[in-house]
Amino acid sequence: MASSNVTNKTDPHSLNSRVFIGNLNTLLVTKADVEAIFSKYGKIVGCSIHKGYAFVQFSNERNARAAVAGEDGRMIVGQVL
């Protein structure tokens, strides 16, 4: 099941469980691709794709921190995140 497109909640707890993904080739990488890459870190409750970047909203901060640690510097379609 696809996650929501909502990642901009103003709840302070939500802010700590949101991951910014920069330098993303959004011409080639889809929302489904981003969810597939990041879902191994925990439950994704929201994912939004924008031109050149994305946000992934996890259900908790621990999952978000693990995702940042695990994916920072990863190369996707020739670009380093």
Side-chain angles (χ1 to χ4, degrees), residues 24-63:
L24 187 66
N25 185 339
T26 50
L27 295 175
L28 300 176
V29 180
T30 67
K31 178 180 174 187
D33 295 332
V34 171
E35 289 177 351
I37 292 164
F38 285 87
S39 64
K40 65 185 170 193
Y41 297 100
K43 181 176 183 196
I44 294 174
V45 295
C47 180
S48 60
I49 301 286
H50 309 272
K51 187 176 182 179
Y53 66 97
F55 285 101
V56 174
Q57 181 74 52
F58 285 94
S59 59
N60 65 57
E61 181 179 352
R62 186 183 37 141
N63 296 151

Side-chain angles (χ1 to χ4, degrees), residues 19-23 37-38 41 64-76 79-81:
V19 175
F20 170 79
I21 302 146
N23 200 35
I37 292 164
F38 285 87
Y41 297 100
R65 288 184 186 275
V68 169
E71 300 299 326
D72 187 34
R74 175 181 176 151
M75 186 167 290
I76 298 180
Q79 290 184 230
V80 178
L81 300 184

